Amino acid sequence: MLETDLDRTLEAFFTGQRRAAARLISVVENGGPRAEDVLHQLYPRLTGAPRLGITGPPGVGKSTLVDALVRYHRKHDRRVGVVAVDPTSPFTGGAVLGDRVRMGDLTTDPGVFIRSMATRGSLGGLARATKEVVDVLEAFGQQMLIVETVGVGQTEMDVAQATDSVVVVLSPESGDAIQAMKAGLMEVADILVVNKADRPGAGQMVRTLEADLAMRPHSEWSVPVLVTVASKGEGIAELCAAVDEHRVHLEQSGDLADRRRRRAQTEITAVLRDRLWQRAHARLADEIPAWAERVAAGQETPYTAARSLMAAFLEDSE
Ligand SMILES: Nc1nc2c(ncn2[C@@H]2O[C@H](COP(=O)(O)OP(=O)(O)OP(=O)(O)O)[C@@H](O)[C@H]2O)c(=O)[nH]1
Ligand SMILES: [Mg+2]
C-alpha cells in the first residue's frame, strides 16, 4: 500500500467505512513502520470501551456464547467488535476459523465487526497483535470489544493481557474443570461460566468450581460462577450483568487504571526487547559462530562469549 493509499484508507476509516477498517487491521497485523503509523493516528481516538476476553477449553461453546453476547449488545444498541483468535491452527488458518466463528447473519449487521486471526505459530506475538487489532476496532467506534480464544497453554495469559475482564467458559463435559485448574485458566478468570447447562452434571460442576474458589486467598473481587445455555440464549443477561459489575469494580478499585498501565508497560517492554534484539543481532550475528567454536572447544564459556559480544555491541552504540 502506498503512503497516499494509507492516508486515504485512514480518512475512509474515520468516516466509518468498514472496508477501510478491514484494511487497517491487516496493516496492523502485518506490523512494521506502516502499522506504527496507523496506531499513531488511531491512539487519540481510543475511547476506553470495555474489553472482554472469552476463553476456555476447546468446544465448550465459546463462539456460541460470543454470538449470544453480540446479539444481547445489539439489542441494547451497542456497536460490537469481535476478535476470534485461533492459536491452534497456524497452518490451516482461514477455513478452520470460518468454521469456528459461526456468526451467520451477524456478519451483515453494520453494527458488528468480526475479525478472525490466526497466530502463525507465534504465541508470544499473540497478545500484542490481538491488542492492536482491538485498538483498531475501538477507534472505529465499537463500544463493546470481545476477544475469543481457546485457552491452551499460554493463550489465556495473552487474552488476559489484551482485555479488562476475562470470562472462562467450561462445560459439564468430563474433565473440563480439571483441565481448567491444571491449565491455569482459573487464575485468569474474573467470571466463570458453566455453559451447556442443559447437559447433565452442570450443578455438580458449579459446586466443584465454587469449592475450588473458596480455597483461594480472599480478594476484593469474588469470582462468580454462572450457568448458561448459550445455544438458547439462557443466562446471557445475567452474564452481561456480571461483566458490568466487574467493570464497576475495576473502575472503583482503581484496578482498571492499574491493568491498563501494566498492559502499556508490557507493550513497551515487548517493543523495546524486539528492537534491541534486532539491533544486537544485526551487529553480532556474524561474530557468533567464531565464539561458538571457542565455547565448543572449551576455551570460553557461553557467559564469557556473551560478555565479550555484549561489550562489543555496547561500545558500538555509544
Ligand atoms: N447442548 C448445548 N450445546 C451447545 C451449547 N452451546 C454451544 N453448544 C454446541 O457446542 C458445540 C461447540 O460450540 P462452539 O461455540 O463452536 O464452541 P467453541 O468453544 O467456540 O469451540 P472452539 O472454538 O472450537 O474451541 C456446537 O455444536 C454448539 O452448538 C449449549 O449451551 N448447550
Ligand atoms: Mg470457537
Side-chain angles (χ1 to χ4, degrees):
M1 207 187 286
L2 294 170
E3 224 45 67
T4 50
D5 281 346
L6 190 60
D7 287 342
R8 231 175 280 140
T9 307
L10 276 162
E11 229 168 82
F13 176 84
F14 290 131
T15 61
Q17 292 183 32
R18 295 169 69 85
R19 280 188 50 202
R23 238 182 266 155
L24 289 191
I25 289 173
S26 299
V27 171
V28 163
E29 275 186 303
N30 290 333
R34 246 175 247 290
E36 283 177 38
D37 279 355
V38 168
L39 290 170
H40 188 77
Q41 305 270 353
L42 298 192
Y43 257 59
R45 310 261 180 158
L46 293 181
T47 57
R51 298 179 173 209
L52 180 63
I54 306 282
T55 189
V60 293
K62 298 179 294 298
S63 298
T64 314
L65 196 65
V66 170
D67 184 293
L69 289 172
V70 171
R71 283 172 209 283
Y72 179 90
H73 288 297
R74 289 306 292 146
K75 244 198 284 166
H76 292 80
D77 241 356
R78 287 179 208 122
R79 295 176 57 168
V80 189
V82 177
V83 181
V85 188
D86 193 340
T88 55
S89 60
F91 304 113
T92 38
V96 170
L97 283 166
D99 290 347
R100 283 203 147 159
V101 192
R102 299 182 194 82
M103 297 281 167
D105 53 311
L106 283 178
T107 52
T108 55
D109 177 343
V112 181
F113 201 110
I114 299 160
R115 180 72 171 207
S116 297
M117 289 174 65
T119 58
R120 285 159 279 165
S122 90
L123 285 180
L126 173 66
R128 190 157 23 129
T130 307
K131 153 87 175 48
E132 288 172 358
V133 171
V134 176
D135 287 342
V136 177
L137 291 178
E138 186 178 315
F140 194 57
Q142 306 315 94
Q143 295 155 309
M144 181 75 199
L145 300 146
I146 303 177
V147 179
E148 177 197 338
T149 183
V150 185
V152 284
Q154 169 67 26
T155 53
E156 67 276 359
M157 300 308 290
D158 289 339
V159 77
Q161 162 69 19
T163 56
D164 305 321
S165 305
V166 178
V167 175
V168 170
V169 187
L170 304 169
S171 76
E173 250 94 85
S174 58
D176 268 2
I178 294 155
Q179 191 184 335
M181 287 168 195
K182 272 201 203 143
L185 275 168
M186 302 287 286
E187 259 62 55
V188 299
D190 297 308
I191 295 166
L192 277 169
V193 166
V194 176
N195 186 43
K196 305 196 187 182
D198 52 331
R199 298 256 174 94
Q204 178 55 43
M205 183 151 181
V206 170
R207 287 189 289 280
T208 307
L209 293 170
E210 281 175 342
D212 185 72
L213 289 168
M215 294 191 316
R216 282 162 198 250
H218 176 78
S219 73
E220 272 177 56
W221 172 255
S222 63
V223 176
V225 184
L226 307 174
V227 291
T228 57
V229 183
S231 48
K232 293 189 192 142
E234 288 174 26
I236 301 304
E238 291 79 358
L239 172 56
C240 288
V243 171
D244 285 348
E245 224 174 284
H246 184 244
R247 172 82 181 182
V248 170
H249 160 77
L250 286 177
E251 278 168 356
Q252 289 179 349
S253 62
D255 279 1
L256 186 63
D258 270 0
R259 277 192 196 207
R260 294 195 165 200
R261 256 194 306 272
R262 266 204 307 272
R263 190 189 294 163
Q265 202 165 325
T266 310
E267 282 186 285
I268 297 169
T269 310
V271 174
L272 203 55
R273 192 173 42 218
D274 272 11
R275 297 269 153 96
L276 283 171
W277 170 243
Q278 273 166 19
R279 279 249 206 127
H281 191 259
R283 162 68 181 78
L284 301 172
D286 289 347
E287 295 178 27
I288 293 176
W291 284 98
E293 210 152 304
R294 270 172 270 166
V295 171
Q299 295 156 355
E300 300 274 352
T301 71
Y303 298 94
T304 53
R307 198 183 305 151
S308 301
L309 285 163
M310 191 127 106
F313 174 62
L314 291 177
E315 211 166 277
D316 281 3
S317 36
E318 265 165 19

